[in-house]
DNA sequence: AGGGATGCCATGGGAATTCATGGGACGCAA
DNA sequence: TTGCGTCCCATGAATTCCCATGGCATCCCT
């Protein structure tokens, strides 16, 4: 089964903060949880990050282990390591997908990103980001604005070229 | 059950100095107290450290045993050993979580870190740090300021890359 | 090819339980 | 006797558990 997320999805958030994890994403969480087996609940980690994050980031167990290993290889006490520990360990929660395929987002986290009745999931490699649909629409506009060299209508893959073509004969 | 803390939480401090230990942290203290069993009170150690600490650090019993073993392996009488003993044994108290899931912070300790009506808990591996919310906000700003190479809006995980990305296949 | 039967999926809701928090009463010590 | 710490009880809110439903896609049998 795939170990990476692909695609995006919008789902309802009910009064209890439950969000149904779209099946295609759920499979990835299951496949990337070393302890998971059919019938059991897949574990995952919700990173809520520092005060300016207006999204949540859901990591598979394996992805989080990689991050933790990476952090562990950094010099103990270094500023960068402390910062990463602060985010990925200090501002993260363990969670699991319930028997109905849903994830319960605690009220605190819903409030942090302003989540009320709908949530937008979008793949980000080995993690899944959760936004309010409005916040994501905004983010998408901002994303484009951050790359002014891409003319409207141009093929985004043109951005790949400068990096790859250089050394070729 | 998990042996390591993850996440952060803000709780009320009442007039008697009681702070509710958030359930997810309480479980770690229970799991890491060799003598604990359902219904009993989990033991822990409060390290308040030297004069300049403006936080308290709560250690599980197991974590504290590891520290003590480490200290015991150091040359008796060495300056480093004396320093560690001073902090982790000389400036530490034993404590327990009461029947309602709360920890009572003695007035002395509350005063030391300026705790009045709210406390901020944040995970630090196998210990939990306790700050005033204000002091922690300050600390977090300082953490970020120490990593100027991280552009606002950049993925913090990019800090991991320099160490790991180059030789990867 | 039709037509149900089956099963997964997203969603909803009630009841039970846990959680964070507040308060009264008692005892001990300065 | 005034404050500080401990024990026990109370309560509203948040969270978990369990069960229910309608939609949609798939499978299988005829």
């Amino acid at each position: 089964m795939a170990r990476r997320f692909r695609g995006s999805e919008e789902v309802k958030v009910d009064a209890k903060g439950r969000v149904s994890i779209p099946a295609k994403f759920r499979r990835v969480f299951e496949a990337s949880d070393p302890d998971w087996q059919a019938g059991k609940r897949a574990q995952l980690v919700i990173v809520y990050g520092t005060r300016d994050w207006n999204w949540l980031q859901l990591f598979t167990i394996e992805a989080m282990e990689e991050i933790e290993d990476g952090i562990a290889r950094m010099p103990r006490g270094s500023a960068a390591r402390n910062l990463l520990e602060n985010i990925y360990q200090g501002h993260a929660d363990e969670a699991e997908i319930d028997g109905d395929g849903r994830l319960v987002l605690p009220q605190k986290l819903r409030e942090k990103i302003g989540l009320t009745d709908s949530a937008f999931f979008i793949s980000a490699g080995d993690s899944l980001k959760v936004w309010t649909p409005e916040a994501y629409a905004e983010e998408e506009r901002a994303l484009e604005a951050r790359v002014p060299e891409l003319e409207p209508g141009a093929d985004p893959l043109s951005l790949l070229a400068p990096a790859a073509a250089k050394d070729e004969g």
Side-chain angles (χ1 to χ4, degrees), chain A residues 36-79:
Chain A
W36 182 82
Q37 40 186 291
K40 282 191 59 179
R41 301 175 166 204
Q43 307 291 303
L44 55 92
V45 175
I46 307 174
V47 176
Y48 47 94
T50 51
R51 86 194 80 64
D52 49 313
W53 287 28
N54 60 341
W55 71 91
L56 302 175
Q57 204 160 352
L58 311 183
F59 286 86
T60 66
I61 297 298
E62 281 180 359
M64 190 52 81
E65 282 172 355
E66 271 175 42
I67 291 172
E68 282 166 358
D69 290 349
I71 290 176
R73 281 194 299 272
M74 299 175 78
R76 197 176 280 274
S78 72

Side-chain angles (χ1 to χ4, degrees), chain A residues 94-115:
Chain A
E94 288 170 4
E96 59 182 22
I97 297 175
D98 74 16
D100 299 330
R102 288 183 282 203
L103 176 65
V104 184
L105 296 176
Q107 195 170 47
K108 284 268 178 58
L109 297 189
R110 278 179 273 151
E111 284 168 3
K112 182 165 193 298
I113 65 169
L115 210 59

